[in-house]
Amino acid sequence: MTTSETIRVGLGERSYDVIVGPGVLARAGELTRPLLKRSRVAIVTDATVAGLHLPALNAALDAAGIAHEAIVLPPGEQTKSFAQLEHVCRALLAARLERGDLVVALGGGVIGDLVGLAAGLVRRGMGFVQIPTTLLAQVDSSVGGKTAINAPEGKNLIGLFHQPRLVLADTAVLGTLPLRELKAGYAEVVKYGLIGDAPFFDWLDSDGAKLLSGDLAALTRAVAASVTAKAGVVERDETETGERALLNLGHTFGHALEAATGFSQRLLHGEGVAIGMKLAFDLSAALGACDGQVPGRVATHLARMGLPHRIADIAGARLSTDELLRHMAQDKKVEAGKLTFILARGIGEAFIAKDVDADAVRAVLNKAE
Ligand code: NAD
Ligand code: GLY
């Protein structure tokens, strides 16, 4: 039987546990109870997750004698909007939640990001618990306190840092996730190996397929390793003044690809990150930072896992280099006209490069398949 693992995110008085493993959802009541001033919470979730996993959460809270009511939102990225933020804030007020009460975010990164922001705003800051139900949310978005909604001007532009009080990552819940979403989340898992942990990459290279077939031991090991890596980075650089930017490996290319495809189902976030990571290694090799064979190793792994790794893997018309560069220039990581990229000296050896020349990026995009 796979047991759960607890990873502590050490941030002084804002420290919290991330509990990873199958069956954690059923223990949500007993695990949340010590954090409560009175026995009631509000749950925010999306309609898809509500249909699949809300009954289990309700039962866990009932068993611990915790009163609860659910706010159910439409699924999808459009939910990270001003309109839904207002809806959630007002629903929390209507439910008469007090400052010391907790809000529980049950869902993927969309729900976690929106609920974290709402909790940070309502009554000048309420506590919240993350119960991430996608692989992406378990390994990335539920940990570290970045919260946001999207603005017409761009993605994730309205937000704040607000750490959760507890994260419960039940790996068994991933069993209902569509394979495409699981694979997209896997991109964020392999990211941790590519950034700073070559032995983890090697393990994924040999055992990664088990994760995608739903093997709970493999999933739990991968989620725990990813959360441990992220927790370390967040502890050292909570508000991204330096090292935390490494977690953006592949994201500058990825965001441009997502923007060029209209943030649609044509390209999921994790799929953009997968292609973006391969391009980041291409750029590293082109700039002489890493050996020319390394991008091929990354591509072979991604292909073996059934992840897109070439721009040509995106369905529909070929995206133009000019359009992608335009989106990168609007990226919030641009400083004084120079592009910031996360590059690598090899697998597990990422670094921040602040002055990458647009011509080198153009050449890589022009050459990319
Ligand atoms: P998501 O929340 O939209 O979930 C993807 C889809 O899966 C949704 O349709 C959802 O209803 C469904 N779903 C969720 N759990 C399920 C389950 N167990 N079974 C079946 N279906 C399920 O998307 P996501 O990929 O989890 O998150 C993407 C969001 O995360 C983006 O908005 C991105 O900006 C954000 N993000 C935030 C951070 C951060 O640090 N805060 C990091 C990475 C990404
Ligand atoms: N997902 C990147 C970060 O949390 O910093």
Side-chain angles (χ1 to χ4, degrees), residues 165-252:
R165 300 279 309 280
L166 176 70
V167 181
L168 302 176
D170 187 332
T171 42
V173 159
L174 303 176
T176 57
L177 198 60
L179 183 59
R180 188 179 173 197
E181 294 285 353
L182 193 67
K183 284 184 182 174
Y186 178 85
E188 301 281 4
V189 174
V190 76
K191 180 184 82 176
Y192 293 106
L194 295 173
I195 290 172
D197 191 345
F200 183 50
F201 177 84
D202 290 342
W203 176 70
L204 290 170
D205 211 22
S206 64
D207 283 21
K210 287 190 194 161
L211 251 98
L212 297 185
S213 68
D215 179 302
L216 286 175
L219 275 169
T220 301
R221 177 170 171 181
V223 174
S226 301
V227 169
T228 303
K230 180 154 187 183
V233 173
V234 168
E235 284 169 359
R236 292 187 293 273
D237 179 22
E238 184 181 3
T239 56
E240 200 170 313
T241 55
E243 182 189 347
R244 187 162 177 172
L246 290 175
L247 299 177
N248 296 328
L249 176 67
H251 283 58
T252 302

Side-chain angles (χ1 to χ4, degrees), residues 92-233:
L92 294 175
L93 294 173
R96 305 219 178 283
L97 256 74
E98 296 175 0
R99 191 150 183 241
D101 294 334
L102 288 182
V103 189
V104 178
L106 174 72
V110 163
I111 290 296
D113 278 14
L114 171 67
V115 173
L117 179 55
L121 295 172
V122 170
R123 300 192 191 281
R124 297 200 181 88
M126 299 178 57
F128 74 114
V129 173
Q130 290 267 23
I131 306 188
T133 62
T134 63
L135 183 57
L136 179 138
Q138 295 195 351
V139 299
D140 191 359
S141 63
S142 65
V143 178
K146 277 189 182 176
T147 76
I149 56 166
N150 303 324
E153 289 77 9
K155 212 169 126 79
N156 290 332
L157 291 183
I158 310 291
L160 41 79
F161 285 96
H162 184 45
Q163 300 292 344
R165 300 279 309 280
L166 176 70
V167 181
L168 302 176
D170 187 332
T171 42
V173 159
L174 303 176
T176 57
L177 198 60
L179 183 59
R180 188 179 173 197
E181 294 285 353
L182 193 67
K183 284 184 182 174
Y186 178 85
E188 301 281 4
V189 174
V190 76
K191 180 184 82 176
Y192 293 106
L194 295 173
I195 290 172
D197 191 345
F200 183 50
F201 177 84
D202 290 342
W203 176 70
L204 290 170
D205 211 22
S206 64
D207 283 21
K210 287 190 194 161
L211 251 98
L212 297 185
S213 68
D215 179 302
L216 286 175
L219 275 169
T220 301
R221 177 170 171 181
V223 174
S226 301
V227 169
T228 303
K230 180 154 187 183
V233 173

